[in-house]
Amino acid sequence: TAIAEKLLYCCTPYLNETSQENVRNFKYQGGDKSLSYKYFFSPVCDWLVTFFPSWLAPNLITLTATILFTFIPHVVFAVYSWDCSAPIPAWVCYYAGISYFLYQILDNCDGKQARRTG
């Protein structure tokens, strides 16, 4: 009977019927009410996206930003301190901070480009 109970437990849905229906009908309504987005990031990205060609896929913007501004700083950190035991030069920390800032901007431009190109 213990095996039968385990099999029954494995086949039991995690959500009841009402919850499953709620998941099916869920509509995401995102929004950002932060001051930095409203007064800095959004206007800067609105301006920057005007320089992108209309054929440029929005996901390519995020992919490029991810490689240039998140992956490479991690590699630089690893070069200077693979196991996080050696001191890291200050310029590496500044480079990483600037890189993550640029990543945020380009990631925001992704959405602006998607709405611009339809």
Side-chain angles (χ1 to χ4, degrees), residues 1 7-8 15 33 42 51-52 55 57 59 69 86 91 96 115:
T1 61
L7 286 174
L8 182 61
L15 302 174
K33 296 179 178 24
S42 186
F51 295 101
F52 295 154
W55 54 262
N59 289 339
F69 301 127
W91 72 265
R115 284 185 284 286

Side-chain angles (χ1 to χ4, degrees), residues 14-77:
Y14 291 107
L15 302 174
N16 61 31
E17 291 295 326
T18 305
S19 298
Q20 290 177 13
E21 189 62 30
N22 289 341
V23 169
R24 278 192 219 75
N25 294 330
F26 177 76
K27 300 276 191 232
Y28 175 73
Q29 296 176 355
D32 194 342
K33 296 179 178 24
S34 70
L35 295 175
S36 63
Y37 176 79
K38 183 176 181 180
Y39 294 110
F40 178 75
F41 286 106
S42 186
V44 166
C45 293
D46 284 335
W47 175 75
L48 276 177
V49 82
T50 61
F51 295 101
F52 295 154
S54 59
W55 54 262
L56 183 63
N59 289 339
L60 186 60
I61 298 169
T62 298
L63 177 64
T64 304
T66 301
I67 292 168
L68 292 178
F69 301 127
T70 61
F71 180 70
I72 293 177
H74 280 84
V75 170
V76 173
F77 267 108

